[in-house]
Amino acid sequence: MPKRYNRRPEPKTENYGASPLPVDRPAAIYYRQSTDAQIGNINTTLQTVDMFEHLVRQGWSPDAILMIDMDAGVSGSKKISERPGLSHVMELIESGQISLVAAQDVDRFFRDVTQIQVNIFIDACKRNQVCILTPRMLYDFNHVTMGPYHMKIFRDEAQHAADYLEYFIKGRLQASIAHLHGQG
């Protein structure tokens, strides 16, 4: 008589699906521009007004959204402690006052070549169950199955931002400007 095999139960799909947004707790929006000249451009609107409206559409009440806008004109390559806005975000994370931090992109948080600051931030978010939201993705470092992958993607995005700063802006662009200045 042939041996019978029982089919394994299907894995629960919620282990792979997106985490529900933590709209029952306050969220923060982190705004940063690299230079004073960029303040007030279209990117400012995207990072502040549009992001605020996005969070409201996702379910947060307007009074539960904190705007952290102290890092206008501050480089993303600086340490957390050298940026008043990001330092405040870290205080909110560590004290359990927020459930989520929203930003227009990962490069608003970091352009850290060493990745040290990125990992400090990820660790704080993970320990305090704080998610990161950009228009493209929800990063949930505590997700049952996707948490490690979300950490990898966040690190990769931050590394790409640092690489862009190092190789394109500092390398090619500034070298070209210096060359033009040298020619009069």
Side-chain angles (χ1 to χ4, degrees):
M1 185 154 116
K3 190 171 187 176
R4 290 177 136 287
Y5 291 98
N6 292 331
R7 183 175 289 231
R8 285 187 182 171
E10 291 290 321
K12 294 180 181 179
T13 56
E14 60 267 11
N15 286 346
Y16 297 99
S19 301
L21 291 172
V23 297
D24 58 327
R25 292 177 45 216
I29 297 173
Y30 178 68
Y31 163 75
R32 183 188 66 77
Q33 290 284 32
S34 299
T35 65
D36 289 332
Q38 294 173 329
I39 298 170
N41 67 10
I42 187 66
N43 205 355
T44 297
T45 303
L46 290 171
Q47 291 186 61
T48 56
V49 177
D50 291 357
M51 185 57 70
F52 185 87
E53 291 171 356
H54 180 67
L55 289 181
V56 170
R57 282 191 307 273
Q58 299 304 313
W60 274 273
S61 65
D63 59 333
I65 301 170
L66 307 169
M67 180 63 67
I68 311 299
D69 58 0
M70 297 171 250
D71 287 348
V74 178
S75 172
S77 62
K78 291 188 173 193
K79 294 178 181 178
I80 294 168
S81 61
E82 297 170 333
R83 296 194 263 165
L86 195 55
S87 293
H88 185 56
V89 168
M90 287 293 284
E91 290 169 11
L92 293 170
I93 290 169
E94 293 288 6
S95 65
Q97 293 181 53
I98 57 174
S99 62
L100 180 133
V101 182
Q104 186 59 33
D105 205 345
V106 174
D107 69 2
R108 298 300 85 205
F109 292 108
F110 298 102
R111 291 181 184 255
D112 176 18
V113 176
T114 67
Q115 295 283 294
I116 293 168
Q117 301 299 302
V118 175
N119 285 306
I120 290 169
F121 184 75
I122 288 172
D123 179 63
C125 290
K126 184 170 174 37
R127 283 185 290 102
N128 294 284
Q129 280 88 46
V130 173
C131 295
I132 307 300
L133 180 70
T134 67
R136 293 183 313 134
M137 184 165 174
L138 172 67
Y139 299 88
D140 180 356
F141 306 136
N142 285 297
H143 190 278
V144 176
T145 55
M146 301 303 288
Y149 182 64
H150 288 185
M151 286 186 254
K152 180 187 180 331
I153 294 171
F154 191 88
R155 283 186 192 106
D156 288 349
E157 292 281 330
Q159 185 65 55
H160 290 306
D163 291 345
Y164 175 80
L165 186 65
E166 284 294 309
Y167 301 118
F168 183 76
I169 301 296
K170 290 181 180 176
R172 294 177 65 193
L173 192 58
Q174 288 181 348
S176 296
I177 291 170
H179 176 71
L180 289 174
H181 282 276
Q183 292 187 344

